[in-house]
Amino acid sequence: EPAGGEGSGAQAAHEKFLLIAAAYETLKDEETRKDYDYMLDHPEEYYRHYYHYYRRRLAPKVDVTIVILVTVCAISVFQFFSWWSSYNEAINYLASVPKYRIQATEIARQQGLLNKTKEKGKNRRSKEEIREEEEEIIKDIIKNKIDIKGGYQKPKIYDILLFQILLAPFYWCKYIVWYCWWIYCFTIKGQEYGVEEKLYIIRRYMKMSQSQFDSLEDHQKETFLERQLWIRENYELYKREQEEELKKKMAMDPRWKRYRRWMKNEGPGRLTFIDD
């Protein structure tokens, strides 16, 4: 055997192994076999062959469905805990407002909850512990007695993104049924609107979400009903009145006057020399 024959044999075996591995990668599934057969039949389309080859090599190995599901779950978890943080911030703020704190403290005294924190004997605790427990009692009463709405309302698990996606078909079916009922009752049969229907039309005219509209005071909603704002003409008149009132308030506001004076004398886009 010639010198170096063992090394050349190993090299040949390595090259043969690479060829076998490349053939296996090419022919291991039906799609790559189709691309290979197409390349043999159309050798002149080498740019297309390069594109298909690198597209398969660089394609993600993980199922896109799994990636989307994990992303939605991560967003939902972050969303839920973020809402809880906002809700706790709202409770802490209300507990510091004298109006709500005095009311909550009075309710706690009437229910005898504060007396339990001042036990004597073996169960006696430090002033700091008593203060913390009283604070928790006041916060619990605020949570139960005050209906917080809007962006700081108590989070519900059905409002997170994951459940909204899962329940989307149900919501769509519910909306379609409701819309058909609305057309049948008020368009075909010509029934009169009830209070809920009137408030719904007013909310749509005002372009407010349900949570925003619910956060309005009851006397405001009563004013809407008294002025019959579910009628388009009445709402347009009300809207113009509100715009005029807003203009009057802005005209009387000292800050708005200073802003207009600044825009007139030194507003953006004006070039001046500074006198030393």
Side-chain angles (χ1 to χ4, degrees), residues 79-95 139-156:
Q79 188 181 37
F80 186 72
F81 284 103
S82 175
W83 284 349
W84 265 113
S85 177
S86 299
Y87 176 70
N88 289 328
E89 287 179 7
I91 295 299
N92 291 334
Y93 170 75
L94 292 175
K139 289 180 181 179
D140 289 338
I141 291 175
I142 292 176
K143 289 178 182 178
N144 297 325
K145 297 296 182 180
I146 298 180
D147 185 17
I148 302 175
K149 297 178 181 178
Y152 293 93
Q153 65 183 356
K154 189 174 182 179
K156 299 177 182 178

Side-chain angles (χ1 to χ4, degrees), residues 28-41:
K28 66 179 181 179
D29 59 57
E30 185 177 353
E31 293 297 326
T32 55
R33 286 198 297 270
K34 286 182 179 179
D35 288 343
Y36 181 71
D37 293 337
Y38 186 87
M39 183 192 69
L40 294 178
D41 296 335

